[in-house]
């Protein structure tokens, strides 16, 4: 049993509760006859025996632990003895190393001291030998005739000759000119000759890709006065390639990479050489290509596209070349780019503005040509309004035929597609503006471009269409006409939203933190206010045109017999009423789809009020018998149904009151007071309205209705 306990206790993870449960269940399983044969004392004895076994197991394990601890302690003591031995050996080794280091330092000091003595003895001797050698060669230049020394004649020894002639040239500069003039000339001539020879050898080595020889010659020439000619020769030879006419930019970077590696191996100051190498590329290769590409300015759009492409690719090339070391100036490549494009960038914005103006004018002209419309010089202001009012008065009152105002078949001369095309052109212009404008001029340039499209859209397009639409609002006539001005309002609103979206996305980020932002907002507010005033005036005229037509049509088509028939007729709405209702319904639908929000509510309410005023005044021009009263009530019911389409509580109230007034034409005289004090008419402050309506009854005098109204105030 102890072995079984040991196996269970060594299981991972061990759970004491599960251990007790398993022991209990093993004891219970021995009762084969079920719960009735359960004997608790057996479980008790089992647990006592298990506890005894576990105590025995604990004692055994305790003895094992003590034995293992003794073994570990013995091992630890042994290891500490070994560590102490190693520490002693390390101390002795460190001591020996220190002694050895001191002796090495002592010997090194002796060697350096001896070397200094030897150098002090050798330097004067070497200088004397060098001086003797130079004096020997200098005597060659003092002798009359040509220099015949082998070293100056044999081209194989040009490197040694270069070293000597360079030193002789420096010495000759210090000698008196009068006494050694001839020698100085010979030395100078030979100096130039060897210098040319070295440069020629450098070019040959470059062509043969002999890097070792190039490096040696460059090192020698670095002591000569014409060292820059060696650099120029290297650059010239390196750039002896035929650059492609179509894409010169793709060839510059690989060429620079190849020569940068070569420059680092050949020259002691590769940064300066690379700076000159790139300068030569920009000024001789790129600039020539750019000047030829931008020579023609006849097509401004093409010119700006080329300028943008060339500048962008040059800037990208400069960014790619920035990985090569060219000195301490980090803005070197940017300065080169600016130098090449300076004259083009100085005049850029004027060209861009002119191009955008031409594009806008071209798109506007294409649009008007598509409509077969010749743009007019419109006359606006008080005189034009006076002329229109006189024309209306003559037509309505004198009944004189006047040529009708042209309405262009309902054409608004506004186009969202046109505006999108203009804004697309503007996006391209703003993209170029961001890339080609200097940071200090960016906001001002952006505002200049914005003013161009604002003028083209708000003034040249919307303002013209609004003025044209206002002039097409004809004077009232009997012929049914549709008012198209609300289409102009709808399209104008959409176009202004397009312009605002374009401003927010493309212009605002460029000017938001500059004074130009505030200036433009004031100007935009003024322009939009002016446009809003014109649209308000146009809407007012449009409403007048609608109700004016209703007024004229009713005056012409409504007959007195409609409301005072000689015989009893079927009480139906008059033809004039039905025509007016149809006309008004169409215009109400038109207003609903053309306007939105508060504008729609205000216009609907105003249209309803004016429509009510026309109907109210029209009905007061007739007298009504009982049959006619029924007819006018039918007409007012139709008008009231039509007015409900306006969704205005004020207008509904007005027509409900008008309907109640019409009931006064039909009610019995003795009931007039009761009706006048009813829900709809009792709230009227001006009781004269009631009296005036009652007087329209044909039986007003016969029935002595005035006597029934004595109880009404203000009659």
């Amino acid at each position: 049993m102890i072995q079984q306990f040991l196996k269970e206790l060594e299981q991972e993870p061990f759970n004491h509760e599960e251990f007790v449960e398993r022991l209990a269940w093993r004891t219970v399983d021995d009762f084969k006859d079920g719960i009735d044969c359960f004997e608790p004392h057996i479980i008790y004895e089992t647990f006592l025996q298990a506890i005894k076994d576990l105590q025995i197991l604990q004692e055994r394990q305790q003895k094992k632990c003590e034995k293992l601890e003794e073994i570990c302690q013995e091992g630890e003591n042994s290891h500490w003895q070994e560590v102490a031995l190693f520490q002693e050996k390390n101390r002795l080794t460190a001591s020996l190393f220190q002694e050895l280091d001191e002796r090495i330092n002592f010997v090194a000091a002796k060697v350096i001291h001896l070397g200094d003595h030897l150098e002090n003895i050798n330097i004067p001797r070497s200088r004397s030998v060098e001086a003797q050698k130079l004096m020997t060669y200098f005597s060659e230049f003092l002798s009359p005739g040509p220099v015949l020394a082998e070293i100056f004649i044999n081209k194989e020894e040009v490197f040694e000759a270069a070293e000597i002639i360079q030193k002789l040239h420096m010495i000759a500069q210090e000698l008196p000119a009068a006494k050694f003039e001839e020698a100085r000339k010979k030395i100078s001539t030979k100096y130039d000759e060897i210098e040319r020879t070295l440069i020629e050898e450098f070019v040959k080595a470059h062509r043969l890709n002999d890097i070792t020889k190039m490096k040696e010659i460059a090192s020698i020439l670095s002591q000569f006065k014409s060292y820059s000619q060696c650099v120029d020769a290297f650059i010239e030879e390196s750039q002896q390639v035929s650059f492609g006419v179509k894409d010169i930019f793709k060839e510059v970077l690989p060429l620079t990479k190849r020569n940068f590696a070569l420059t680092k191996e050949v020259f002691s100051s590769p940064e300066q050489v690379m700076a000159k190498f790139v300068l030569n590329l920009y000024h001789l290769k790129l600039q020539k290509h750019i000047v030829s590409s931008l020579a023609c300015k006849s097509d401004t759009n093409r010119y700006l596209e080329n300028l943008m492409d060339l500048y962008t690719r040059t800037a990208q090339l400069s960014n790619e070349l920035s990985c090569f070391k060219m000195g301490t100036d980090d803005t070197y490549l940017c300065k080169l780019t600016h130098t090449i494009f300076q004259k083009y960038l100085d005049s850029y914005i004027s060209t861009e503005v002119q191009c955008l103006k031409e594009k806008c004018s071209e798109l506007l002209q294409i649009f008007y040509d598509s409509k077969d419309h010749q743009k007019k010089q419109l006359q606006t202001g008080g005189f034009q309004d006076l002329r229109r009012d006189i024309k209306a008065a003559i037509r309505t009152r004198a009944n004189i035929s006047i040529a009708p105002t042209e309405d262009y078949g309902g054409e608004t001369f506004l186009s969202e597609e046109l505006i999108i095309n203009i804004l697309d052109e503007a996006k391209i212009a703003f993209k170029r503006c961001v890339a080609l404008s200097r940071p200090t001029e960016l906001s001002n340039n952006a505002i200049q471009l914005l003013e161009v499209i604002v003028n083209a859209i708000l003034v040249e397009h919307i303002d013209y269409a609004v003025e044209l639409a206002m002039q097409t609002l004809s004077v009232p006539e009997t012929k049914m006409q549709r008012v198209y001005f609300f289409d102009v309002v709808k399209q104008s609103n959409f176009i202004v939203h397009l312009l605002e979206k374009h401003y927010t996305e493309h212009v605002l980020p460029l000017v938001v933190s500059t004074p130009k932002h505030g200036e433009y907002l004031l100007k935009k507010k003024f322009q939009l206010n002016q446009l809003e005033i014109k649209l308000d005036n146009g809407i007012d005229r449009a409403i007048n045109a609608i109700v004016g037509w209703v007024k004229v049509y009713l005056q012409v088509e409504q007959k007195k017999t409609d409301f005072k028939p000689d015989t009893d007729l079927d009480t139906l709405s008059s033809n004039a009423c039905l025509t007016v209702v149809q006309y008004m319904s169409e215009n109400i639908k038109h207003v609903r789809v053309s306007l939105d929000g508060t504008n729609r509510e205000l216009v609907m309410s105003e249209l309803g009020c004016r429509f009510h005023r026309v109907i109210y005044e029209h009905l007061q021009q007739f007298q009504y018998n009982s049959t006619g009263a029924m007819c006018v009530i039918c007409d007012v019911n139709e008008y009231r149904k039509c007015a409900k389409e306006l969704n205005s509580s004020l207008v509904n109230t007005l027509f409900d009151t008008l309907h109640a007034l019409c009931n006064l034409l039909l009610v019995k005289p003795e009931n007039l007071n009761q009706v006048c004090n009813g829900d709809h008419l009792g709230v009227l402050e001006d009781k004269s309205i009631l009296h005036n309506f009652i007087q329209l009854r044909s039986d007003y005098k016969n029935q002595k209705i005035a006597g029934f109204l004595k109880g009404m105030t203000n009659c």
Side-chain angles (χ1 to χ4, degrees), residues 435-643:
L436 301 177
S437 297
R438 298 182 181 91
T440 56
E441 300 173 352
L442 179 58
S443 60
N444 183 54
N445 292 349
I447 290 297
Q448 289 189 53
L449 296 177
L450 180 62
E451 288 176 348
V452 172
I453 61 172
V454 167
N455 182 72
I457 294 174
L458 291 185
V459 179
E460 297 295 329
H461 192 56
I462 297 181
D463 189 73
Y464 175 76
V466 171
E467 290 289 350
L468 197 66
M470 289 176 69
Q471 292 192 8
T472 59
L473 291 171
S474 62
V475 294
E477 55 186 21
T478 57
K479 182 181 178 182
M480 186 177 292
Q481 56 183 350
R482 181 182 176 186
V483 177
Y484 292 94
F485 189 82
F486 296 107
D487 292 328
V488 175
V489 176
K490 178 182 178 182
Q491 290 180 281
S492 299
N493 186 48
F494 181 75
I495 291 172
V496 170
H497 280 301
L498 287 179
L499 182 60
E500 281 294 303
K501 182 181 178 183
H502 174 85
Y503 170 76
T504 303
E505 292 179 355
H506 298 92
V507 186
L508 184 60
L510 307 180
V511 301
V512 66
S513 58
T514 66
K516 292 293 180 180
H517 182 217
E519 295 176 10
Y520 171 72
L521 290 180
L522 291 176
K523 187 180 295 185
K524 182 183 72 171
K525 182 178 180 181
F526 174 77
Q527 290 177 320
L528 292 180
N529 284 342
Q530 292 297 111
L531 176 60
E532 186 175 351
I533 290 172
K534 288 186 178 181
L535 291 174
D536 287 343
N537 291 337
I539 291 174
D540 184 72
R541 290 186 184 182
I543 294 174
N544 284 337
I546 294 172
V547 298
W549 180 89
V550 172
K551 182 177 181 179
V552 171
Y553 184 83
L554 290 175
Q555 287 176 351
V556 174
E557 299 297 329
Q558 191 87 67
K559 300 175 182 178
K560 293 183 178 181
T561 55
D562 290 343
F563 303 125
K564 195 176 181 182
D566 296 332
T567 59
D568 292 337
L569 299 174
D570 293 335
T571 53
L572 300 174
S573 300
S574 63
N575 292 330
C577 167
L578 296 176
T579 303
V580 167
V581 168
Q582 178 187 355
Y583 174 73
M584 285 297 299
S585 295
E586 291 177 357
N587 281 283
I588 290 170
K589 292 177 182 178
H590 187 200
V591 172
R592 182 176 293 109
V593 299
S594 300
L595 304 179
D596 56 11
T598 306
N599 291 333
R600 179 196 293 166
E601 294 176 5
L602 294 175
V603 172
M604 290 285 201
S605 179
E606 184 64 23
L607 176 60
C609 292
R610 296 189 192 183
F611 177 52
H612 168 267
R613 172 57 60 182
V614 168
I615 300 301
Y616 175 80
E617 293 176 351
H618 172 70
L619 295 181
Q620 287 188 323
Q621 299 175 10
F622 299 92
Q623 279 199 337
Y624 306 88
N625 57 20
S626 58
T627 304
M630 294 293 295
C631 291
V632 75
I633 290 174
C634 290
D635 282 1
V636 172
N637 274 331
E638 293 297 325
Y639 294 140
R640 187 165 60 167
K641 291 178 184 177
C642 177

Side-chain angles (χ1 to χ4, degrees), residues 7-131:
K7 290 181 181 180
E8 292 182 1
L9 292 173
E10 289 178 349
Q11 290 181 358
E12 291 291 340
F14 174 75
N15 190 310
H16 61 280
E17 293 181 356
E18 292 182 0
F19 174 77
V20 174
E21 287 291 332
R22 284 196 299 271
L23 181 60
W25 280 109
R26 280 198 298 268
T27 305
V28 172
D29 287 341
D30 294 337
F31 302 117
K32 304 297 183 180
D33 297 331
I35 194 67
D36 295 334
C37 298
F38 176 71
E39 296 182 7
H41 69 277
I42 296 177
I43 295 179
Y44 175 74
E45 292 176 357
T46 302
F47 273 92
L48 285 178
Q49 184 61 39
I51 291 171
K52 291 178 181 179
D53 292 341
L54 290 174
Q55 287 176 344
I56 294 170
L57 183 61
Q58 181 182 15
E59 292 174 357
R60 290 179 182 178
Q61 295 299 324
Q62 183 67 34
K63 290 179 181 179
K64 287 183 181 180
C65 290
E66 291 175 355
K67 187 175 181 180
L68 289 174
E69 287 177 355
E70 289 176 1
I71 295 172
C72 289
Q73 185 65 40
E74 292 174 359
E76 182 180 358
N77 294 335
S78 174
H79 284 303
W80 276 114
Q81 291 175 1
E82 291 178 1
V83 169
L85 180 62
F86 286 137
Q87 286 179 341
E88 181 63 23
K89 289 182 179 180
N90 183 64
R91 186 182 61 78
L92 294 174
T93 304
S95 177
L96 291 173
F97 177 79
Q98 185 176 1
E99 292 178 2
L100 180 61
D101 185 59
E102 290 175 356
R103 296 197 62 178
I104 290 173
N105 290 336
F106 177 77
V107 173
K110 290 291 185 181
V111 171
I112 292 173
H113 181 70
L114 181 60
D116 290 341
H117 277 289
L118 291 174
E119 185 178 3
N120 291 335
I121 296 171
N122 186 57
I123 288 176
R125 183 182 299 172
S126 300
R127 288 178 178 175
S128 298
V129 173
E130 183 70 20

Side-chain angles (χ1 to χ4, degrees), residues 411-446:
E411 175 60 53
T412 62
F413 294 103
L414 287 173
S415 170
E416 291 88 348
E417 181 181 357
L418 167 65
I419 301 306
I420 292 172
N421 292 335
I422 290 177
L423 294 179
D424 286 341
E425 293 293 336
K427 290 176 185 177
I428 298 173
F430 279 110
K431 184 178 179 181
R432 287 197 292 256
C433 179
V434 172
L436 301 177
S437 297
R438 298 182 181 91
T440 56
E441 300 173 352
L442 179 58
S443 60
N444 183 54
N445 292 349

Side-chain angles (χ1 to χ4, degrees), residues 190 269 336 367:
K190 183 58 69 175
S269 301
L336 290 180
F367 169 72

Side-chain angles (χ1 to χ4, degrees), residues 350-361:
S350 59
T351 308
E352 187 72 81
V353 168
Q354 181 62 30
C355 178
L356 188 57
K357 285 182 179 179
E358 292 173 357
K359 279 287 184 182
C360 292
S361 299

